[in-house]
Amino acid sequence: MISDDKKEEIRAAADIVDVVGDYVKLKKSGGGFVGLCPFHDENTPSFHVTPRLGIYKCFGCGESGDVFNFVMEMEGIGFPETLRTLAERYGIDIPEDHSEEDSQETKKREGVLHALKFAGLFYHRQLLESPEAEKARSYLDGRGYPMKIWKNFGLGYAPSGSALLKEAQKEGIEEEYLLEADLIKPSNRGDGYFDSFRDRLMFPIFNPSGKLIAFAGRILNENKKTAKYINSSQTIVYNKSEVVYGVNFARNDIRKEEEVILVEGYTDVITMHQKGIKNVVASSGTSLTSGQIKILQRYGNRIVMIYDADNAGQTAMERGMNIALEQGMEVKLMELPEGEDPDSFVKQYGKESFNDFKKEHAEDFITFTIHKAENAGRMESPGDRSSVIKQILDSIARIPEELDRQVYVQHLHQKTQVYRKGSDRELFQQLDLILSERQKQQRFEKRREDFSRQRNAESSVPMQDEQPSHPADQKEVRTRKRPHYELEIIRLLLQFGENMRRFIGHNIGEDHFEDEQVRTFFSDIMKRHVDGEDISVDHYMNRESPYPALLGDILVDRHTISEKFAKRTGSEFKKDKNPILSAKSAMKPLRLYYCERRKEEISRKIANASTEEKEKMMSMLSKLQKEITRIKKTTADDLFDNPDFLNDEKMKGSETFEYKMKNSIERNSG
């Protein structure tokens, strides 16, 4: 069991801006940082990190929490593994054994990650020590990679036979985790398992935070009739469409250069790193996906693509270019001299020559496409010219920002003026046609998805009392927006002390809350109030889940309309100028929706009730309806009796607070 003191030591050491920055490109904004939310798709930043409070909050999807929550969500691991991950990162020693319970899915993920880490160390040790690995060592020596590079990139060797399986069994690693990690496969004969990677040079693949999640294995015998490279299959920790090779090594340099260089191969990345070009990653031979682009966009918004000059490479580059444009990235394309790839070019000419070549030859996608078309003779006939221009306009149409599209159309106009002799009007008209067609297609796709979703929902409607059990369903329920008035009640209880807690506790109970976690929060506060225990933001920030995440929802709040209006008019706005009225305003909808839920609940039960029960229920429904009508017609200020105190000095944050009696002359005259 990890002690509370140790948890707090880790929390104090773990800089939330640093940790979140591994996944999100953050920009300073006031007293915090903003960026694109990693939990949902968005083009305008709504994800806020507040280092003073040590929390994050997305105003788009509602996700919030502290540094522990963030790592758990991004890595898909449990709390104990999160503590160990952060402790290792910040050099804090923690005991190995623990007894905290985690879900089966989380335990499986942690087991798979442990198996992969073990395999990485095993393969690396084989490369260094095994006589069988001599051919792998010779291959790496031949490429000019010293042992330092082997270590930095975790290179290894997978021996023939099933050596990994046998070694893992000795260490007590369960076959289930090896199988889930795609490190072993079941025998066709049904008599056990064998190693997935055999007699191959091994390239470990890491996620952005440096966890080993997969492998790529390269054959060493070129005459062998088998795939040159094989990659780990999809697993619970490895989604190949969202993984970019080398991003864990390159992320800080991408931020520094504000640019990422995308190449095709593992050795391209390693060689360029070795020669001092470190803002480089590889698509690992797979077609570039929007998920991979989103990973890169966390660190920089400009991408330079370098693909092979053959047809396959150019087709892949064009497709990748369009995906990057759709994500709003600035795209540059570059071709190396014939017969060269990044690995060979940098080895022969070095870092400075590569940078000079890139500066001169990396072109925006419009200039690059036109130059390629000119070299291929595709700008000579009217038909080919028109086809090339439409191809470029189709790429421009994918850019999300209208201003960016406008700038690129004007750039296309300048580049094609020699061929067209017209204005940019025709280009904008053609772009509008393409955009209109794309919007039609998107609407059609959305209707089809909605229809499919509706049909699936109708075919699997759960019972009323049935709770979602699938992790994805639980995630959907958990990230649904919490009622703002429920969160407001918790804020007031935390902020305004004992008298406020007596006032609110006298008027509402835990059954008034719809959100289960907010209800738990309210119950805990009231229990601590009765027991005379500490009730503060600091206390709950250091508590177990879900308290830190809820504090993110409660404390990190955007400016209200009133605040914006006050700033515009030059007046002063204080959110809690009248805290009691704030409490009444939050309690009114809380009580209203509680009564409406009770009414619905009784209405559902009444059909199956006995005659005697029906009479009682009808009476209850009548009373509830009268109460609902009363709540709706009554102002929040008149709905609840005033507290027995008028001015509480302990209500911090309200320096000018003065509660005026309802029957005062001022109120009546107003």
Side-chain angles (χ1 to χ4, degrees):
M1 198 73 172
I2 300 171
S3 69
D4 290 341
D5 288 345
K6 188 61 70 173
K7 291 174 189 174
E8 291 316 305
E9 184 184 352
I10 295 168
R11 188 196 301 276
D15 180 353
I16 191 168
V17 175
D18 179 38
V19 173
V20 173
D22 287 347
Y23 302 86
V24 181
K25 184 182 179 184
L26 295 172
K27 288 186 178 179
K28 192 82 170 69
S29 176
F33 295 81
V34 298
L36 295 174
C37 179
F39 300 110
H40 79 288
D41 291 337
E42 63 176 8
N43 294 320
T44 304
S46 61
F47 183 81
H48 292 241
V49 177
T50 308
R52 178 177 58 84
L53 296 172
I55 56 179
Y56 63 89
K57 163 76 175 176
C58 176
F59 292 98
C61 68
E63 284 282 358
S64 62
D66 62 2
V67 68
F68 297 144
N69 294 104
F70 188 83
V71 174
M72 289 165 71
E73 291 293 336
M74 296 307 297
E75 299 291 344
I77 56 179
F79 188 62
E81 182 64 21
T82 296
L83 289 175
R84 285 194 290 272
T85 298
L86 290 172
E88 183 179 348
R89 174 172 181 157
Y90 291 97
I92 298 171
D93 292 326
I94 60 173
E96 283 299 317
D97 52 331
H98 63 84
S99 58
E100 297 192 30
E101 293 184 2
D102 291 306
S103 69
Q104 287 300 114
E105 187 72 12
T106 299
K107 285 182 178 178
K108 184 186 287 187
R109 288 179 67 90
E110 292 178 1
V112 167
L113 288 169
H114 176 67
L116 287 162
K117 185 176 181 179
F118 172 83
L121 293 170
F122 172 78
Y123 292 143
H124 185 65
R125 193 170 64 248
Q126 292 295 308
L127 177 64
L128 298 179
E129 301 172 0
S130 171
E132 187 184 345
E134 182 55 41
K135 51 192 169 184
R137 292 191 287 269
S138 297
Y139 173 83
L140 294 172
D141 287 338
R143 296 204 72 116
Y145 296 151
M147 197 173 292
K148 181 183 176 183
I149 289 292
W150 307 1
K151 183 178 179 182
N152 288 350
F153 286 86
L155 304 181
Y157 172 73
S160 54
S162 291
L164 173 66
L165 173 60
K166 292 172 185 174
E167 196 68 23
Q169 287 172 333
K170 288 180 189 176
E171 291 294 317
I173 297 175
E174 296 178 27
E175 290 176 349
E176 174 196 359
Y177 297 133
L178 297 168
L179 190 64
E180 286 284 347
D182 194 36
L183 293 168
I184 61 172
K185 296 184 184 297
S187 168
N188 292 331
R189 297 190 299 270
D191 58 352
Y193 300 93
F194 62 91
D195 285 4
S196 300
F197 298 96
R198 291 167 292 170
D199 192 24
R200 285 181 181 264
L201 176 65
M202 300 299 289
F203 296 85
I205 298 171
F206 302 91
N207 71 4
S209 65
K211 280 192 180 295
L212 203 165
I213 55 173
F215 289 97
R218 186 195 192 283
I219 59 168
L220 293 163
N221 182 357
E222 300 284 356
N223 297 321
K224 204 172 182 179
K225 291 185 178 179
T226 185
K228 185 175 180 180
Y229 280 95
I230 60 170
N231 281 59
S232 297
S233 302
Q234 198 101 332
T235 70
I236 59 173
V237 300
Y238 175 55
N239 181 350
K240 59 183 69 179
S241 66
E242 295 180 355
V243 173
V244 185
Y245 179 74
V247 71
N248 58 304
F249 304 112
R251 64 190 185 204
N252 290 331
D253 290 277
I254 295 171
R255 288 194 187 105
K256 181 181 173 184
E257 301 292 334
E258 297 183 335
E259 175 182 276
V260 56
I261 300 170
L262 180 69
V263 295
E264 288 190 82
Y266 303 109
T267 54
D268 292 328
V269 171
I270 294 173
T271 299
M272 293 177 79
H273 238 267
Q274 181 187 14
K275 300 297 182 181
I277 305 163
K278 298 184 177 181
N279 58 324
V280 58
V281 298
S283 55
S284 309
T286 60
S287 297
L288 198 63
T289 67
S290 60
Q292 290 171 320
I293 289 294
K294 285 172 185 174
I295 295 291
L296 298 177
Q297 205 169 21
R298 295 171 182 172
Y299 311 109
N301 204 50
R302 184 170 67 248
I303 185 169
V304 179
M305 297 184 175
I306 310 174
Y307 278 68
D308 290 346
D310 58 20
N311 288 335
Q314 292 302 293
T315 301
M317 183 158 69
E318 182 182 333
R319 184 176 179 279
M321 170 193 80
N322 284 332
I323 291 171
L325 290 172
E326 283 176 345
Q327 298 300 320
M329 289 195 84
E330 179 189 347
V331 180
K332 291 197 168 187
L333 309 173
M334 186 172 95
E335 266 188 11
L336 293 171
E338 189 174 350
E340 298 282 4
D341 58 26
D343 173 54
S344 63
F345 186 93
V346 173
K347 274 180 182 169
Q348 184 173 352
Y349 300 106
K351 174 182 176 179
E352 296 304 321
S353 294
F354 174 84
N355 286 336
D356 289 343
F357 188 89
K358 178 165 71 73
K359 188 175 181 180
E360 186 176 346
H361 292 89
E363 300 173 318
D364 65 82
F365 71 96
I366 292 176
T367 305
F368 182 89
T369 304
I370 291 173
H371 283 168
K372 287 283 290 183
E374 287 172 339
N375 293 337
R378 294 184 61 215
M379 299 301 284
E380 295 175 3
S381 71
D384 283 342
R385 284 201 296 270
S386 176
S387 176
V388 170
I389 291 170
K390 285 178 180 177
Q391 174 191 338
I392 295 172
L393 283 169
D394 183 73
S395 295
I396 293 174
R398 297 169 187 271
I399 298 171
E401 295 292 334
E402 184 178 356
L403 177 61
D404 293 340
R405 292 197 298 267
Q406 184 181 44
V407 170
Y408 276 112
V409 169
Q410 289 167 344
H411 182 50
L412 174 62
H413 168 61
Q414 293 169 356
K415 288 290 180 181
T416 56
Q417 183 73 357
V418 66
Y419 297 109
R420 293 175 45 255
K421 308 293 184 186
S423 69
D424 60 8
R425 181 181 171 187
E426 300 85 10
L427 297 177
F428 278 110
Q429 288 175 339
Q430 182 64 33
L431 178 66
D432 287 341
L433 288 174
I434 295 170
L435 286 170
S436 177
E437 191 58 39
R438 283 173 63 83
Q439 287 167 357
K440 283 181 187 175
Q441 186 64 28
Q442 287 167 357
R443 284 197 295 269
F444 173 76
E445 291 291 338
K446 187 177 185 304
R447 283 198 300 269
R448 189 169 67 175
E449 287 174 10
D450 290 345
F451 176 74
S452 176
R453 244 193 324 266
Q454 182 181 352
R455 191 168 59 181
N456 291 337
E458 288 171 355
S459 65
S460 59
V461 177
M463 299 294 289
Q464 280 184 355
D465 295 332
E466 186 178 339
Q467 294 297 318
S469 58
H470 190 276
D473 296 331
Q474 293 170 350
K475 173 84 171 174
E476 184 179 346
V477 171
R478 185 171 52 75
T479 58
R480 190 177 59 194
K481 268 197 170 179
R482 309 181 197 278
H484 64 89
Y485 47 86
E486 294 191 3
L487 296 173
E488 178 72 352
I489 293 289
I490 303 298
R491 183 186 71 81
L492 292 164
L493 291 172
L494 289 171
Q495 187 170 347
F496 289 104
E498 193 174 325
N499 279 337
M500 179 64 81
R501 291 193 280 273
R502 280 207 310 271
F503 174 56
I504 290 176
H506 177 74
N507 286 285
I508 59 172
E510 63 180 84
D511 54 348
H512 282 67
F513 290 83
E514 183 180 7
D515 186 280
E516 185 178 345
Q517 292 187 343
V518 182
R519 187 190 313 135
T520 301
F521 207 149
F522 175 84
S523 299
D524 194 82
I525 288 175
M526 299 316 293
K527 182 180 182 302
R528 296 182 71 82
H529 169 69
V530 171
D531 294 342
E533 297 177 340
D534 176 39
I535 299 171
S536 64
V537 170
D538 286 343
H539 167 77
Y540 283 105
M541 187 58 72
N542 296 327
R543 285 279 296 276
E544 72 281 3
S545 178
Y547 297 110
L550 283 167
L551 282 174
D553 283 338
I554 294 161
L555 299 178
V556 185
D557 195 8
R558 273 188 169 167
H559 292 303
T560 62
I561 293 170
S562 300
E563 286 172 299
K564 289 179 179 177
F565 178 78
K567 284 184 178 179
R568 194 164 64 245
T569 58
S571 58
E572 184 183 9
F573 174 78
K574 292 192 176 182
K575 184 171 187 177
D576 292 309
K577 189 174 181 181
N578 189 328
I580 299 302
L581 188 55
S582 295
K584 289 183 176 185
S585 299
M587 288 193 294
K588 177 178 176 176
L590 190 76
R591 182 175 285 186
L592 173 64
Y593 293 130
Y594 164 70
C595 290
E596 289 183 341
R597 288 197 306 276
R598 287 283 295 135
K599 182 183 171 186
E600 289 174 10
E601 183 185 340
I602 294 170
S603 298
R604 285 197 302 268
K605 292 178 178 178
I606 203 167
N608 299 320
S610 65
T611 304
E612 186 178 346
E613 289 173 333
K614 278 183 181 178
E615 289 179 3
K616 290 180 180 178
M617 288 182 178
M618 290 299 292
S619 175
M620 290 171 67
L621 284 175
S622 176
K623 289 177 181 176
L624 281 167
Q625 185 55 56
K626 286 179 182 177
E627 179 65 6
I628 289 169
T629 303
R630 186 180 80 87
I631 294 171
K632 286 181 176 179
K633 288 184 175 180
T634 309
T635 65
D637 199 13
D638 291 326
L639 189 62
F640 302 93
D641 290 336
N642 295 329
D644 56 4
F645 56 90
L646 302 181
N647 192 1
D648 178 13
E649 292 180 1
K650 292 182 180 179
M651 287 192 176
K652 295 175 182 178
S654 180
E655 296 172 2
T656 61
F657 167 60
E658 182 181 352
Y659 187 79
K660 296 181 180 179
M661 298 294 288
K662 291 183 190 175
N663 296 324
S664 69
I665 294 172
E666 290 184 27
R667 188 174 186 276
N668 289 334
S669 64

